[in-house]
Amino acid sequence: MTLAQEMFAVAPALGKANLSVAQEHLLAGKARWLHLAAEASLPVVPTIAITRAAWEALQDERRHHDSRLRTHWVATLFRLVGRDGKPPALVVRTSAEQHSKGLMSARVGVSPPANEAESVDPSKPLARAIGDAFESYGSSATGWTGAEKSATREGHIVVVQALANGELKHFLTRDGQTGALGPAPTNGGMLGRLPNQAQDLVAKLDAAAGQALACLASVDGETIKLVSARPARISAAAELEAAVDRVNRKVWSASEAVAHTDPARLQQMLHPRLKSPDSADVIATGLGVSPGAASGVIVFTAEDAARMKARGRHCILVVTETGPADIQGMKAATGILTARGGMTSHAAVVARITGKPCVAGVRTLSVDIGEMTCRIGEKEFRAGDRITIDGTDGNVYLGALQLSQPHIGGAISKLLGWSDASRDIEVRANAETVEAVKTALSFGAEGIGLARSEHMFFSRERMVALRRMILSEDEDDRAKALTGLVDFQTGDYSAIFTAMQGRPVTVRLFDPPLHEFLPRSDEDIEETAKSLGLGSRALRRRLERLAEVNPMLGHRGVRLAITYPEILEMQMQALLAGVREASRRQAEPVTLEVMVPFVSTVSEVTWIRERVMAIVDAADLPSAARSRFAFGTMIELPRAALRAGDIAQVVDFFSFGTNDLTQTTYGISRDDAPAFLAAYQRKGLYDFDPFVTLDQKGVGEIIAIAIERGKAANPNLKIGICGEHAGDPASLKFFAGLDVDYVSCSPYRVPVARLTLAQGNPPASPSSPGS
């Protein structure tokens, strides 16, 4: 494209602009929307555009007393002249993709040049205004430095318009809260009278743009002309309503409405959020690991959280980190704040399952449980003081702030229904309580892809029984302790199977290291010793023997089932008893899928399978439930992924645990990572947190290799994804391009997964956090 072609009409006073593809590519900001409106035959104030490169060439030509480009520039300026042939007064505006501080405000009432020379003379009004506009790009917040300079200079354009007659009016094409078709007032102000033509203009502009716009128009009697337009940020609920309305108006098809909806914004509709965060006092920032906002009084123990809930008061559980013993307090609290942990920490996982807002990894938080105080940033707080947390962006605020409660109307149901019609990957949920299962079903889950069996022990009574089993000295002691645990879990599983009404339920065998369930504090050790009939000194000796240097890579997962076969026996007996009990109560056959975690060799999987199948065959299951039973494994270690062809021959399905697979591929502890990942991102070493968005080049390639090898060895192999990445839109788009049968995510992320997977697999955004 020549420099002459970089000065052109966007919306000429007469005729059509007839831009080339290259010229259309130059359009940015308001110039793009004005051209769109003009092409839709809408009334637009005459507008032309010029690039920085063309303007600098004109100035260089002026200094060399040449006029070839200037002749074309003058001809372009004449595209602003109407039928009367009289050059109008002019307006000069910047036209950035995104507005930023420092950009020149519109220069209004600029005198048209009296001759060709004045059109480029820096001392004359028009040229001076254009020069100032380009200069303001350099002084804006996104100014140029080094390599950035040459990249951003290319995208700078300035628009010159004919000064419009009449009164200038601001309005939105869609109401910011309801999504109703406008004209709608901006910022809750008064709209005032607009001509009847305005409604037609808004309807056509909305149809052409396919998104809400903030408009500036000139109104002269009953005549209205568009002066400027830019995308308007409206609420997530309003966007959904607008999408459905466009389908009802036959502007979009249902599939177009699905394709244009941002899955990340959908998440906002499912949780409370702050009404006015910009005016609030941020006292600390951590990781937003479970979305939504919560306000309440500070509590430091699970017991105090339960007491607050019993009194009908909202509270924020503030702790260094959470563990299994805190589960009841986490359920009772309105929100959770921790000093340690990341996206896959205990607090984050439980919070997402239960739908609680959670901020983790707040490095400026320290808790003194003895004094019942904490420091957050520079401030000290006591139990009963009020704070607000935002689990979406990780901010912690002083005091109790106003929240807006989620509102889920018919639009979201319609949109998700359209999504389901256009996707072929099933969406399941990670859940292991009846409450979580019902939440998942209400959001459209088609099965349970991950029921963490160990989470079913998160209550005081069950914890005592589990600790008795872990601390037993021999098999006889363990067998006695396990008897009670079978009874506990049988009822749990039966209730889940009944709630699922024949949909698949994938249960992961006991996975985490045993130390997570053992007492840590002196108080807890004394209480546990008493409940087990042991001396505290004897208990401490047993705890020392069970301690591991690196438990997340130690005695966990399949290794527990092999070294303690009675644990495997207990789990299977409870599961199968739950199948029989549910089968007696319902007509739909129970669909149980058992998977063994943390495997690295086919011999481990074969050893477990032989014992599992022997127990199943002896369990006297109803024939329909028996025929639906499936055995599989989680792929969480690189070696298992590389040996997928061997493992696939002895299982019915793979489910990729992307949290641990990321951890073991990178050699990064997912709980300790927040301490340095933020620094990596600030220094540009990582583009994103690999525990939030899947690393496609590394972990993603391992998954793709494992699927290919597994399917080659076993064409009937079912493939699932059950890590937290299964609820992240960017990661889901990657999974959509693989041979995946289902994904499984936290219940509150199910709608996000349903929508994202319906959008298919467009070209990827960042594929790896670092090269």
Side-chain angles (χ1 to χ4, degrees), residues 574-725:
L575 272 167
L576 299 175
V579 171
R580 290 192 296 268
E581 188 174 304
S583 297
R584 287 193 291 269
R585 296 204 302 257
Q586 66 185 48
E588 296 84 357
V590 173
T591 304
L592 170 61
E593 302 173 346
V594 169
M595 67 178 173
V596 56
F598 219 65
V599 303
S600 55
T601 67
V602 68
S603 57
E604 290 173 315
V605 182
T606 302
W607 194 95
I608 296 292
R609 181 185 175 90
E610 289 174 354
R611 282 149 185 81
V612 165
M613 299 312 296
I615 296 170
V616 171
D617 290 338
D620 192 28
L621 295 180
S623 59
R626 177 63 185 85
S627 67
R628 292 186 175 204
F629 178 83
F631 176 83
T633 185
M634 286 186 80
I635 303 294
E636 305 167 87
L637 299 175
R639 190 185 193 282
L642 293 174
R643 304 309 303 166
D646 297 336
I647 296 173
Q649 297 176 55
V650 295
V651 298
D652 302 308
F653 65 90
F654 285 169
S655 185
F656 289 88
T658 58
N659 304 338
D660 265 321
L661 188 55
T662 298
Q663 178 171 243
T664 54
T665 299
Y666 272 85
I668 293 177
S669 164
R670 64 194 191 198
D671 292 328
D672 298 326
F676 59 86
L677 281 185
Y680 267 51
Q681 289 177 260
R682 286 196 303 270
K683 295 176 186 296
L685 300 177
Y686 282 6
D687 294 327
F688 53 85
D689 184 340
F691 292 104
V692 177
T693 297
L694 189 82
D695 159 33
Q696 296 175 22
K697 289 182 179 177
V699 181
E701 185 175 3
I702 288 176
I703 293 172
I705 290 171
I707 291 174
E708 182 181 356
R709 293 180 180 179
K711 289 274 191 177
N714 179 0
N716 296 320
L717 186 72
K718 185 180 288 186
I719 302 294
I721 307 287
C722 66
E724 280 306 316
H725 297 95

Side-chain angles (χ1 to χ4, degrees), residues 458-473:
F458 292 165
S459 71
R460 186 167 296 279
E461 185 182 16
R462 298 183 183 197
M463 191 67 74
V464 170
L466 183 63
R467 287 174 174 175
R468 180 176 286 114
M469 183 274 293
I470 295 171
L471 296 166
S472 298
E473 295 283 14

Side-chain angles (χ1 to χ4, degrees), residues 425-426 428 449 506 653 655 718-721 740-744:
I425 296 177
E426 190 176 293
R428 301 186 186 181
T506 307
F653 65 90
S655 185
K718 185 180 288 186
I719 302 294
I721 307 287
V740 170
D741 295 290
Y742 70 86
V743 301
S744 186

Side-chain angles (χ1 to χ4, degrees), residues 237-282:
E239 281 189 355
L240 287 188
E241 294 290 348
V244 172
D245 182 59
R246 291 185 190 111
V247 175
N248 292 338
R249 292 173 178 270
K250 303 190 184 312
V251 172
W252 281 351
S253 65
S255 60
E256 286 175 319
V258 170
H260 281 85
T261 302
D262 181 1
R265 293 209 76 196
L266 187 65
Q267 181 88 27
Q268 299 174 15
M269 297 184 59
L270 309 176
H271 303 276
R273 54 190 183 276
L274 297 177
K275 280 190 174 179
S276 52
D278 294 341
S279 60
D281 184 7
V282 178

Side-chain angles (χ1 to χ4, degrees), residues 299-302 316-323 326 330 336-340 347 365 367 369:
V299 297
F300 297 107
T301 67
I316 307 296
L317 179 62
V318 179
V319 292
T320 301
E321 61 185 334
T322 65
D326 299 313
M330 297 173 72
I336 302 149
L337 177 65
T338 69
R340 298 177 188 162
L365 165 64
V367 178
I369 194 67

